[in-house]
Amino acid sequence: MKKQVAVIGLGSMGLGMAQSLVRAGFEVHAFDVRPAVLAHFVSQGGHATRSPADAASKAQVVVSVVVNSAQTDSVLFGDQGALQGMQAGSVFVMCSTVAPEYSIGLEKRLLEHGMLYLDAPISGGAAKAASGEITMMTSGSAQAYAMVDPFLEAMAAKVYRLGAQAGLGSKVKIVNQLLAGVHIAAAAEAMALGIREGLDPAAIYEVITHSAGNSWMFENRMPHVLDDDYTARSAVDIFVKDLGLVLDTAQASKFPLPLTATARQMYMQASSAGFGGQDDAAVIKIFPGITLPTKKA
Amino acid sequence: MKKQVAVIGLGSMGLGMAQSLVRAGFEVHAFDVRPAVLAHFVSQGGHATRSPADAASKAQVVVSVVVNSAQTDSVLFGDQGALQGMQAGSVFVMCSTVAPEYSIGLEKRLLEHGMLYLDAPISGGAAKAASGEITMMTSGSAQAYAMVDPFLEAMAAKVYRLGAQAGLGSKVKIVNQLLAGVHIAAAAEAMALGIREGLDPAAIYEVITHSAGNSWMFENRMPHVLDDDYTARSAVDIFVKDLGLVLDTAQASKFPLPLTATARQMYMQASSAGFGGQDDAAVIKIFPGITLPTKKA
């Protein structure tokens, strides 16, 4: 008999992860609030369920890929939430970007109900989710790992195991989001200055991606600016949220983060100007007095 | 007969570039204010000269690899400066990081003396200089390129040709320094937060260098923090200077650079605290309330 697994949330990451699990030969019981997305997943070999509770009743491992801690709380503890369907000893795998303190508290709440927990934020984007090649930043108990290992290997190219305490995975994810958010804003600032100085944006891209000023985010996001394509792969408002989580985490111990604070203001400026739903590269639109590249005819 | 070239300034970059020229079969006439460095270069097949003027009198191409615009002015126009030795029609190759306006003005001043000019800032570090694999961000006239091309190819893995006007090379270098300076400060901020949150610094390095938060600078500089080795490969004070040049460039057109301004304050804080001569990764020492890794016994 095939191993069963539940996936809650078929967004750009969750759908790809669920597809990777199907491809690896597992029976995947999915829930999403959008019927069309569920129907699409069924056409690819997955199973649709009526609620998080229904999905969770079909498997001992529940993978949650929702947007934030509020949605995580809702799909787990809400009406028809996963907890109502989970058998004692099941594992809840939390893949969202959340405050580490929230993740630590979530493990405690689940333990009180006799459930196991894996802190498991993800990185890599929709394409890597679909190909089973995301990075997972995980921490949790040996019992939890023993139950989820085959599923993690099916979803991820690299599973980092950061320790036995919940929160370590989320802390590393917070450090990653700090860098990712600052780097996109820095890429925008640098590209904007170059354009202001009369340089060819394509030449800037070519030189920087072969120089010490390069970053993963510069290389990945600046083509959106060069192509005048601000279709949201990940939106400006995601970094308003994520850098907020980074600052909240540091504020708990009164720790200063000058660049993070500045970058977050840049994303808020972009959002406030009406670009919150656009691709995060649209943070470049806060810079006045420059003409950005336009779509080729 | 071998082709002749002059190199002024045998610092960590200039020495490697001069060595690469010797290895490529050129006669290299070098000047440096430090006799021991010159003697070392002679032992490797180079020629020592008594002054910039003396070096410049031996070749039609003069490569200047000094720290800033003040030194450039001094080695070119000062007492026993290169201009006194240069024959009409010779080329001055300016490899320092300077304000683009300075570079544009320098070409005009040289043209008035019948000399050619190449705006040619460099990137890549001492190791790549020694192996002839630096990146050069160049711009200048076709006549200048025609004279310097064989020498550029000997020094660089990649020569970017950004246009016919002096200043374009320096502008791209300024964009690169903006990113490099912000990325080192961001790497320090992220590593500091991770340490504050109780993460293992080596684990942070391992995960981030395989995730979307990575940058060339994070990967290159954070090992200095992990190894507690702040021997200056490039010092904190270099970024106080370079981010100052970036801000001056933008200020000329009243252009805002929020992240650059913040990062520069971080380098100034580090310098003011006594770390200006240490490796630029020492910017992490501005963060209070954390214990940085110490040297293994």
Side-chain angles (χ1 to χ4, degrees), chain A residues 100-101 123-124 135 137 158 160 162 167-169 171-172 174-180 182-183 185-187 189-194 196-199 203-204 206-218 246 249-250 252-263 266 286-290, chain B residues 100-101 123-124 135 137 158 160 162 167-169 171-172 174-180 182-183 185-187 189-194 196-199 203-204 206-218 246 249-250 252-263 266 286-290:
Chain A
E101 284 306 311
S123 174
T135 295
M137 306 170 188
K158 184 75 194 175
Y160 288 105
L162 297 156
L168 294 171
K171 285 176 177 180
V172 171
I174 286 290
V175 170
N176 184 69
Q177 292 313 93
L178 184 165
L179 288 163
V182 170
H183 290 170
E189 182 167 311
M191 186 64 83
L193 175 63
R196 177 73 165 182
E197 290 294 315
L199 294 170
I204 298 171
E206 167 68 14
V207 178
I208 294 299
T209 53
H210 293 85
S211 300
N214 197 25
S215 70
W216 195 97
M217 281 297 181
F218 185 97
V246 176
T249 301
S253 71
K254 299 190 174 61
F255 196 70
L257 299 177
L259 288 169
T260 309
T262 302
M266 294 166 73
I286 70 171
F287 289 94
I290 58 172
Chain B
E101 285 306 311
S123 174
T135 296
M137 305 169 189
K158 185 76 195 173
Y160 287 105
L162 296 156
L168 294 172
K171 285 176 176 179
V172 171
I174 286 289
V175 170
N176 184 70
Q177 292 313 93
L178 184 165
L179 289 162
V182 170
H183 289 169
E189 181 167 312
M191 187 63 83
L193 175 63
R196 178 72 164 184
E197 290 294 316
L199 294 171
I204 297 170
E206 167 68 14
V207 178
I208 294 299
T209 53
H210 293 83
S211 299
N214 197 25
S215 70
W216 194 98
M217 280 298 180
F218 185 97
V246 176
T249 301
S253 72
K254 299 190 175 59
F255 197 71
L257 299 177
L259 288 169
T260 309
T262 302
M266 294 167 73
I286 70 170
F287 289 94
I290 58 171

Side-chain angles (χ1 to χ4, degrees), chain B:
Chain B
M1 203 180 104
K2 285 188 187 178
K3 282 197 181 172
Q4 316 287 318
V5 60
V7 175
I8 299 173
L10 298 179
S12 60
M13 296 297 289
L15 178 61
M17 292 159 69
Q19 290 166 337
S20 296
L21 289 165
V22 168
R23 205 170 47 244
F26 299 114
E27 296 283 345
V28 185
H29 305 274
F31 177 73
D32 193 280
V33 290
R34 298 161 296 176
V37 173
L38 267 182
H40 172 65
F41 181 57
V42 169
S43 76
Q44 299 183 315
H47 304 288
T49 65
R50 296 181 313 275
S51 66
D54 186 24
S57 71
K58 304 286 201 320
Q60 286 192 294
V61 171
V62 179
V63 180
S64 171
V65 199
V66 296
V67 170
N68 54 25
S69 58
Q71 285 191 10
T72 303
D73 249 56
S74 173
V75 301
L76 187 47
F77 301 108
D79 185 39
Q80 292 296 306
L83 190 62
Q84 294 176 31
M86 289 169 78
Q87 306 158 49
S90 294
V91 190
F92 186 78
V93 180
M94 198 289 305
C95 298
S96 309
T97 300
V98 302
E101 285 306 311
Y102 172 80
S103 184
I104 292 166
L106 190 56
E107 180 178 54
K108 288 189 187 136
R109 292 156 75 195
L110 283 165
L111 281 174
E112 286 166 9
H113 290 92
M115 305 299 173
L116 298 170
Y117 176 71
L118 196 77
D119 186 20
I122 54 181
S123 174
K128 289 195 172 178
S131 61
E133 296 179 300
I134 55 170
T135 296
M136 302 187 81
M137 305 169 189
T138 68
S139 65
S141 65
Q143 303 97 297
Y145 276 116
M147 290 180 65
V148 304
D149 265 338
F151 304 110
L152 300 185
E153 297 303 327
M155 294 186 287
K158 185 76 195 173
V159 179
Y160 287 105
R161 295 155 201 273
L162 296 156
Q165 298 91 42
L168 294 172
S170 286
K171 285 176 176 179
V172 171
K173 177 69 196 251
I174 286 289
V175 170
N176 184 70
Q177 292 313 93
L178 184 165
L179 289 162
V182 170
H183 289 169
I184 295 169
E189 181 167 312
M191 187 63 83
L193 175 63
I195 293 170
R196 178 72 164 184
E197 290 294 316
L199 294 171
D200 170 18
I204 297 170
Y205 185 79
E206 167 68 14
V207 178
I208 294 299
T209 53
H210 293 83
S211 299
N214 197 25
S215 70
W216 194 98
M217 280 298 180
F218 185 97
E219 193 160 340
N220 185 266
R221 296 304 208 270
M222 288 303 100
H224 305 174
V225 173
L226 297 180
D227 296 343
D228 186 23
D229 179 4
Y230 297 95
T231 313
R233 290 75 163 180
S234 179
V236 163
D237 278 345
I238 296 287
F239 272 111
V240 172
K241 176 196 80 125
D242 280 6
L243 293 188
L245 289 175
V246 176
L247 291 166
D248 289 347
T249 301
Q251 184 180 291
S253 72
K254 299 190 175 59
F255 197 71
L257 299 177
L259 288 169
T260 309
T262 302
R264 187 168 191 241
Q265 290 296 321
M266 294 167 73
Y267 289 108
M268 289 210 280
Q269 190 179 343
S271 188
S272 194
F275 309 124
Q278 294 189 15
D279 191 79
D280 48 31
V283 70
I284 198 172
K285 296 184 180 181
I286 70 170
F287 289 94
I290 58 171
T291 303
L292 291 171
T294 51
K295 270 197 184 59
K296 289 172 191 77

